[in-house]
Amino acid sequence: MGTGTLLTLWVIVWALYGGIVTYVVYRRAGHRGLPGFGIGLLLGAIGNALFVFAIPESEILDSAARAVMGAFGSFLLLIPLWLLLSRQGKRCPYCFEIADPSATTCPHCGRDFPGLAAWRPDGSVPILSVRGLTVEYAVRQGRLVAVDRVNLDVYPGELVALVGESGCGKSTLAYSLIRHVTFPGEITAGQIFFKGRDVLTMTPEQLRQFRWRDIAVVFQAAQNAMNPVMRIADQMIDTVQAHEQMDREHILRRAAELLEMVRLEPDRVLRSYPFELSGGMRQRVIIALSLILEPEMLILDEPTTALDVVTQVHILDILREIRDRLGLTMLLLTHDMAIVARVADRVAVMYAGKIVEVGGINDIFYHGLHPYTRGLINAAPSLVGDLSGKSPIPGSPPNFLNMPTGCRFHPRCKYAVPKCRERVPIMESVDGRQVACHRWREIANMEA
Ligand SMILES: Nc1ncnc2c1ncn2[C@@H]1O[C@H](COP(=O)(O)OP(=O)(O)O)[C@@H](O)[C@H]1O
Ligand code: SF4
Ligand SMILES: [Mg+2]
């Protein structure tokens, strides 16, 4: 075998290697493509160097061939080094492309950079920023990704509704904001910033202080989980004293103020046991209790489920009133669009573990861009309008262990095209709102 044959073979091997690495890494590894590709080339270059220098100089590998092969290997080595070390700008952690140092959103993949507050035109900064949050449950059949690379910003004083069908991941997302993911769940990726503090790196003591004082949560059906043998007053005192040194009198004074705010009679309620109160009253007690340490943000998980419509409306009105009086930031989880319509300032729509659209209440209700958002609104029977025009979204939510490829909504979407099955739509920012759908522009034009 002469030098020419050897070089030809060597080029073929490299071409095959490059093709396989590109195919496997780009097609399979999604957004981790470039680092993977860079590492592939790095290993290839090292392999090449070993090959070139391990074979002794001979007729077939003369010094000229060795020089060409060595130079090519070094060139390959330069590519990953350039990718990894390039300082032309900021590297996107999702697609690994370079962006302008001042950018807050990657111009290549459209994702927001972690840890960077997305500024609003009015200059306000989010109180809560979630970036690339991923939460998984280890179940018998495998790993179930209940929340998949979610980004979300909540601004001070606003009431954001997180809406989606049951089982889409709302509670998992909300509870992970205070790192309260129940076993066998685990936060496996992402970042959570509350007023610039990194929640995921807090120590147990910092976390204990953070819960209730910074973010309080009204868990789903919490009104049914009250201690049945303790008077409301004692439950309130216990809760506060678990977090703060405060005397009984002070706690009871504060509790009475809050009970009044939720339109309950303080004296009577504080003396009562939970069973002496109705479901709606217990829910209002829980809301008052959650406010006792003066948190800046309140998360409410389905706060009106299982209550009659009149009580629901009453509680929603109280929530808005509290928000206005205390300037509280709220995240309200619900599957019910009628509730969203009544209270929310902004809406984040969640489908199968991903947020698919975020927008102001009017945008979402009157100009929803994502077909799922439009489906939810068309399916909400309690909204104003002609009931006969309401229709449920066809099909059912996907199995988390067997997620559809590409856009997760494609099996139920009347606008789906082949691209929807192949590629995951990225979140695009449009006039202060966000949507993740390949065809939102065409759909908006079609329906205009
Ligand atoms: N403790 C758990 N163990 C295993 N899977 C869970 C657990 N809790 C939730 N899940 C899964 O995570 C998905 C999201 O659940 P959840 O966050 O409760 O949704 P939502 O609040 O929107 O109804 C569900 O489909 C469910 O399969
Ligand atoms: S990406 Fe395709 S399948 Fe998904 S919502 Fe948009 S049109 Fe429908
Ligand atoms: Mg839930």
Side-chain angles (χ1 to χ4, degrees):
M1 185 166 58
T3 307
T5 320
L6 180 79
L7 283 177
T8 311
L9 274 176
W10 180 76
V11 166
I12 292 171
V13 167
W14 265 108
L16 279 175
Y17 173 80
I20 292 168
V21 166
T22 311
Y23 179 80
V24 172
V25 169
Y26 270 70
R27 299 294 303 225
R28 294 285 180 85
H31 67 268
R32 288 186 296 276
L34 269 176
F37 189 47
I39 289 164
L41 286 179
L42 182 69
L43 291 176
I46 293 168
N48 178 59
L50 290 176
F51 172 75
V52 169
F53 291 103
I55 294 181
E57 199 166 304
S58 66
E59 270 180 24
I60 56 163
L61 191 68
D62 58 20
S63 50
R66 189 191 290 267
V68 172
M69 291 158 92
F72 186 65
S74 309
F75 170 70
L76 289 176
L77 190 65
L78 286 179
I79 300 174
L81 284 182
W82 175 79
L83 279 173
L84 294 167
L85 301 177
S86 165
R87 298 211 179 273
Q88 298 165 31
K90 179 161 54 185
R91 196 173 291 290
C92 171
Y94 304 110
C95 71
F96 219 66
E97 294 286 351
I98 297 284
D100 191 84
S102 62
T104 53
T105 302
C106 175
H108 306 282
C109 71
R111 293 177 173 90
D112 288 338
F113 288 121
L116 287 172
W119 289 73
R120 274 182 159 185
D122 68 2
S124 58
V125 178
I127 189 169
L128 175 79
S129 275
V130 177
R131 291 292 178 272
L133 186 66
T134 304
V135 186
E136 300 181 24
Y137 290 102
V139 291
R140 211 158 33 90
Q141 303 90 323
R143 289 190 82 81
L144 180 157
V145 185
V147 173
D148 192 4
R149 283 168 284 166
V150 160
N151 291 348
L152 182 68
D153 285 312
V154 179
Y155 292 85
E158 68 175 352
L159 200 161
V160 176
L162 180 62
V163 65
E165 287 160 295
S166 279
C168 72
K170 301 181 296 293
S171 301
T172 304
L173 168 58
Y175 299 170
S176 63
L177 300 177
I178 55 158
R179 280 173 54 192
H180 183 92
V181 183
T182 49
F183 183 80
E186 190 193 352
I187 298 175
T188 53
Q191 288 171 303
I192 302 166
F193 290 93
F194 185 79
K195 294 178 84 182
R197 288 159 68 206
D198 187 345
V199 176
L200 297 186
T201 60
M202 284 181 182
T203 61
E205 179 53 28
Q206 286 170 331
L207 198 59
R208 198 181 64 82
Q209 299 279 328
F210 170 72
R211 295 175 180 160
W212 288 84
R213 275 206 207 153
D214 288 299
I215 300 187
V217 178
V218 172
F219 292 96
Q220 185 164 9
Q223 75 271 26
N224 302 329
M226 293 171 99
N227 188 336
V229 294
M230 251 177 132
R231 291 182 198 275
I232 302 296
D234 295 326
Q235 304 212 20
M236 289 195 150
I237 290 163
D238 264 19
T239 308
V240 177
Q241 289 184 338
H243 291 84
E244 207 151 338
Q245 294 294 330
M246 203 190 279
D247 63 76
R248 288 176 61 94
E249 298 317 307
H250 188 166
I251 297 169
L252 289 175
R253 259 202 315 279
R254 173 92 188 121
E257 279 166 27
L258 289 166
L259 288 170
E260 249 170 52
M261 203 184 292
V262 295
R263 303 183 201 162
L264 287 173
E265 230 178 282
D267 292 341
R268 191 193 132 205
V269 169
L270 284 169
R271 276 199 313 273
S272 307
Y273 288 97
F275 69 87
E276 292 175 293
L277 307 174
S278 69
M281 288 167 89
R282 284 202 302 272
Q283 183 63 305
R284 283 182 279 160
V285 169
I286 293 284
I287 292 170
L289 183 58
S290 69
L291 296 175
I292 209 156
L293 290 178
E294 300 178 21
E296 293 193 44
M297 183 166 173
L298 184 60
I299 297 175
L300 300 125
D301 191 359
E302 308 271 5
T304 59
T305 305
L307 299 176
D308 63 85
V309 177
V310 176
T311 313
Q312 283 193 19
V313 170
H314 190 51
I315 289 188
L316 294 173
D317 289 347
I318 288 172
L319 285 178
R320 273 207 83 101
E321 201 177 295
I322 292 173
R323 198 281 302 264
D324 294 342
R325 274 177 68 177
L326 302 181
L328 214 61
T329 309
M330 290 192 191
L331 179 66
L332 185 143
L333 280 50
T334 179
H335 62 275
D336 186 344
M337 272 293 184
I339 289 177
V340 176
R342 191 158 187 107
V343 293
D345 302 314
R346 255 179 356 116
V347 185
V349 181
M350 194 164 184
Y351 185 75
K354 280 186 168 294
I355 290 187
V356 295
E357 181 162 4
V358 182
I361 182 82
N362 289 331
D363 288 339
I364 293 291
F365 272 87
Y366 301 110
H367 314 282
L369 296 176
H370 198 285
Y372 180 61
T373 308
R374 290 163 178 247
L376 280 180
I377 289 162
N378 284 337
S382 43
L383 291 178
V384 285
D386 180 9
L387 281 185
S388 61
K390 302 291 169 195
S391 54
I393 303 171
S396 47
N399 176 352
F400 274 74
L401 289 164
N402 186 18
M403 216 31 113
T405 55
C407 172
R408 294 172 176 194
F409 188 54
H410 84 249
R412 304 172 74 186
C413 179
K414 64 177 177 179
Y415 302 104
V417 290
K419 177 166 72 169
C420 303
R421 279 184 281 279
E422 289 154 17
R423 284 179 34 213
V424 178
I426 59 163
M427 191 63 112
E428 290 182 58
S429 294
V430 200
D431 300 331
R433 51 198 293 206
Q434 295 162 307
V435 59
C437 166
H438 291 304
R439 302 192 67 205
W440 71 264
R441 278 192 186 83
E442 293 160 67
I443 295 168
N445 289 337
M446 258 185 254
E447 313 250 322

